[in-house]
Amino acid sequence: MPIIPDKLPNVGTTIFTVMSKLAADVGALNLAQGFPSFGADPALLDLVNQAMRANHNQYAPMAGVPVLRKAIARKMVDCYGVSYDPDTDITVTSGATEALFAAITAVVQSGTSQGQEPDEVIVFEPAYDSYVPAIELAGGRPVYVSLSPPDYAIDWADVAAKITDRTRLVVMNTPHNPSGHVWTASDVNELARLAEAHNLFVVADEVYEHITFDGRTHHSLMQHPVLRERTFVIGSFGKTFHITGWKIGYCLAPKPLTDAFRKIHQFLTFSVSTPMQYALAGYLRDSEPYASLSSFYERKRDVFLEAIAGSRFVFTPSEGTFFQNVSYVPITREPDAQLAIRLTHEIGVASIPVSVFYHQKTDHHILRFCFAKDDNILLEAGARLTKWSKAEG
Ligand code: PMP
Ligand code: GLN
């Protein structure tokens, strides 16, 4: 048999698969992988059924069904005051994951046989785990800007120092998974300044756009004129409507960028589930489900934080997303990957070790807990964690 050279030698099975399997095997509460334990709105499910019965069961157009692209365009005007043309600027994708892959593949050039250097891509870490494999498969080189707890603030002088004449793309994410940090308007301005000065493209992963806390607002990159023209803004209905398993997302970008994006998208998936797209188009007529999402998750964050308030864990309340990071430095110094596995076995609570999101597995002794769970799960997990923290060490 021929041997397949490993295109991603630094990558194994994703941590989400590993921890969800372990949680299922040992019957643990799964606060690891980011998905809701509760169901979607029955009204949305009815819309899927209606779409199927209306015979919307064949291939959708490659870019997405027109009614959904129009509904997305309207939503962007309502939420951010920004127009995208549904025909030329909006593509419906198989989750944000496919959109990220297609956008990165469209932009990043590998080195050529003439010995040219590969494109460099600025990646803020801890980084969601699909960015770097996409960059590397495109033949690009990730250049890391490392952010640290507790605030994960961006040192823009550090970012500027990492830009070279090979830098082509910045991949950013706000609200940020796994840290729960939300970019400020000043962060957006700093990025715009650098992107303009160095002629960079940007991939903006905004899948948690509707989940920000304590009065914070989400600053979409599309709202900055300099960034709008050079950014692929990526969203996902999975996070917003409690349907992570549907895997439907989208990419918003000006026509020249979308043209390049669609060339890749058409051969990755061609098109996305038709009845789901019709259902989402209908469901988007009502803004309430996403307008109320921040307060819905802020309350869940607080239920979890109150449940661990008497523990020895240390934390800063998450600013956005449905993740809360906690430091266990006062309790034990063992590696986070080891502790995440031990807690799953010993007290039946699964989490994600944040070191996996750093390329050198930098371990700040932090675990990420997903609070998109029913209250009874959050209370029980919090009680177990508190009891463990008091007994340990
Ligand atoms: N980006 C981030 C930051 C995420 O947390 C996720 C999570 N699932 C994705 C992208 C992928 O989204 P989707 O499930 O729509 O592919
Ligand atoms: N985004 C989810 C998380 O961060 C998981 C997505 C996945 O399983 N690939 O937990």
Side-chain angles (χ1 to χ4, degrees):
M1 281 293 286
I3 288 171
I4 302 175
D6 193 345
K7 290 194 173 167
L8 294 171
N10 302 322
V11 165
T13 304
T14 80
I15 188 70
F16 308 117
T17 302
V18 171
M19 291 309 296
S20 276
K21 179 171 184 313
L22 180 62
D25 288 349
V26 306
L29 303 172
N30 188 355
L31 275 60
Q33 193 178 20
F35 64 90
S37 67
F38 37 85
D41 184 348
L44 175 57
L45 308 184
D46 288 345
L47 287 168
V48 179
N49 193 258
Q50 281 168 30
M52 287 179 167
R53 289 186 182 280
N55 257 337
H56 293 306
N57 297 307
Q58 309 308 331
Y59 291 126
M62 183 268 276
V65 301
V67 279
L68 178 55
R69 283 184 277 138
K70 282 186 193 136
I72 294 170
R74 266 196 311 273
K75 176 172 182 284
M76 296 308 141
V77 172
D78 289 351
C79 291
Y80 305 112
V82 178
S83 300
Y84 284 97
D85 185 324
D87 289 330
T88 57
D89 303 350
I90 300 180
T91 311
V92 180
T93 60
S94 180
T97 308
E98 191 234 331
L100 289 161
F101 194 93
I104 290 168
T105 305
V107 171
V108 174
Q109 310 288 319
S110 61
T112 65
S113 51
Q114 282 87 44
Q116 202 184 332
E117 290 293 304
D119 280 350
E120 293 176 2
V121 181
I122 301 282
V123 178
F124 300 94
E125 62 172 9
Y128 184 63
D129 70 346
S130 81
Y131 307 152
V132 169
I135 293 164
E136 289 180 338
L137 288 173
R141 181 187 294 153
V143 174
Y144 296 95
V145 173
S146 284
L147 311 178
S148 300
D151 58 1
Y152 296 90
I154 297 171
D155 174 354
W156 285 100
D158 182 31
V159 182
K162 295 214 160 118
I163 293 175
T164 71
D165 57 2
R166 296 299 308 158
T167 311
R168 189 163 174 87
L169 175 68
V170 177
V171 179
M172 61 76 72
N173 167 220
T174 186
H176 182 250
N177 176 11
S179 73
H181 177 65
V182 172
W183 277 39
T184 61
S186 148
D187 289 323
V188 175
N189 288 336
E190 292 287 347
L191 176 62
R193 201 173 52 77
L194 291 176
E196 188 169 41
H198 300 278
N199 208 17
L200 308 176
F201 291 103
V202 180
V203 167
D205 180 347
E206 303 189 8
V207 300
Y208 299 101
E209 63 183 320
H210 294 299
I211 314 179
T212 55
F213 306 136
D214 307 316
R216 287 182 183 81
T217 38
H218 169 61
H219 298 284
S220 176
L221 296 204
M222 73 177 77
Q223 292 170 293
H224 195 295
V226 165
L227 291 171
R228 187 198 178 285
E229 66 181 21
R230 57 185 69 240
T231 299
F232 299 82
V233 176
I234 289 167
S236 172
F237 294 111
K239 320 292 167 181
T240 304
F241 295 142
H242 315 314
I243 48 168
T244 62
W246 286 24
K247 295 296 294 185
I248 302 190
Y250 51 86
C251 174
L252 314 172
K255 184 174 185 305
L257 279 67
T258 290
D259 286 348
F261 179 93
R262 288 182 182 171
K263 281 201 178 184
I264 312 290
H265 163 75
Q266 67 184 338
F267 296 121
L268 268 180
T269 54
F270 182 69
S271 66
V272 174
S273 171
T274 309
M276 308 317 214
Q277 292 194 58
Y278 277 97
L280 286 166
Y283 197 61
L284 281 172
R285 286 198 199 104
D286 181 9
S287 62
E288 202 279 334
Y290 53 85
S292 60
L293 201 62
S294 286
S295 54
F296 173 81
Y297 274 125
E298 185 171 316
R299 196 193 66 78
K300 289 214 171 277
R301 177 201 65 179
D302 292 344
V303 167
F304 181 62
L305 290 184
E306 273 165 39
I308 58 168
S311 74
R312 291 162 67 211
F313 290 104
V314 176
F315 50 82
T316 311
S318 171
E319 297 175 357
T321 74
F322 44 48
F323 301 112
Q324 175 66 49
N325 285 355
V326 307
S327 162
Y328 56 85
V329 167
I331 308 169
T332 165
R333 302 301 291 218
E334 70 194 271
D336 64 355
Q338 186 181 311
L339 184 63
I341 290 170
R342 183 156 82 84
L343 288 178
T344 310
H345 283 287
E346 283 183 13
I347 64 167
V349 180
S351 58
I352 297 285
V354 170
S355 65
V356 301
F357 301 109
Y358 286 94
H359 77 294
Q360 290 179 321
K361 309 292 169 244
T362 310
D363 188 353
H364 294 290
H365 303 300
I366 287 180
L367 299 175
R368 188 199 81 174
F369 292 91
C370 172
F371 53 79
K373 307 291 164 187
D374 288 305
D375 287 7
N376 61 329
I377 298 176
L378 297 174
L379 292 171
E380 177 60 25
R384 290 185 199 179
L385 288 163
T386 302
K387 187 169 165 212
W388 172 83
S389 78
K390 289 180 174 163
E392 186 73 13

